Amino acid sequence: CNIKQTGIQGVNDSLNVSTTKDTGTGQTDISYIADMKNDNYGFTSSKGRTGGQNGGVIAMTSTQIPTASLIRIMTFEESNQAIDDTRANVTIHGDLA
């Protein structure tokens, strides 16, 4: 999925994503239309360049472990500050239920 965390958060485009929920600065819950088989799936991610930053990272948060129906991600700028991003991309790798 490709999500926008700035302003009114939402999905720009996706496959198997039902909704997103803003859970704090840089934090987004991504819920699936069809659940995964279990919570042992992997994910890859990337983010855009916000505010002139050269890099950054998207991580899975420790406050909400992945479930079969959602994952919570958090975006950071290169200085390790949480930041809402205009273009966060996440791909889930695993089996559907």
Side-chain angles (χ1 to χ4, degrees):
C1 70
N2 175 301
I3 61 172
K4 175 180 157 269
Q5 294 175 307
T6 56
I8 298 174
Q9 189 172 108
V11 177
N12 294 323
D13 203 358
S14 72
L15 174 67
N16 196 35
V17 170
S18 61
T19 60
T20 60
K21 179 181 177 185
D22 186 346
T23 56
T25 301
Q27 292 187 73
T28 302
D29 284 357
I30 301 170
S31 298
Y32 315 129
I33 294 168
D35 286 355
M36 303 303 289
K37 183 176 180 180
N38 54 47
D39 61 0
N40 293 322
Y41 52 85
F43 81 102
T44 55
S45 59
S46 64
K47 66 178 269 333
R49 294 180 62 198
T50 301
Q53 294 292 321
N54 290 324
V57 67
I58 297 177
M60 185 173 54
T61 69
S62 60
T63 58
Q64 169 65 52
I65 61 171
T67 68
S69 61
L70 76 83
I71 189 171
R72 178 176 289 169
I73 61 160
M74 188 164 195
T75 56
F76 296 92
E77 61 186 5
E78 62 189 10
S79 65
N80 206 30
Q81 293 289 345
I83 188 170
D84 285 339
D85 202 276
T86 57
R87 188 176 180 95
N89 303 286
V90 178
T91 304
I92 303 300
H93 307 274
D95 296 326
L96 296 175

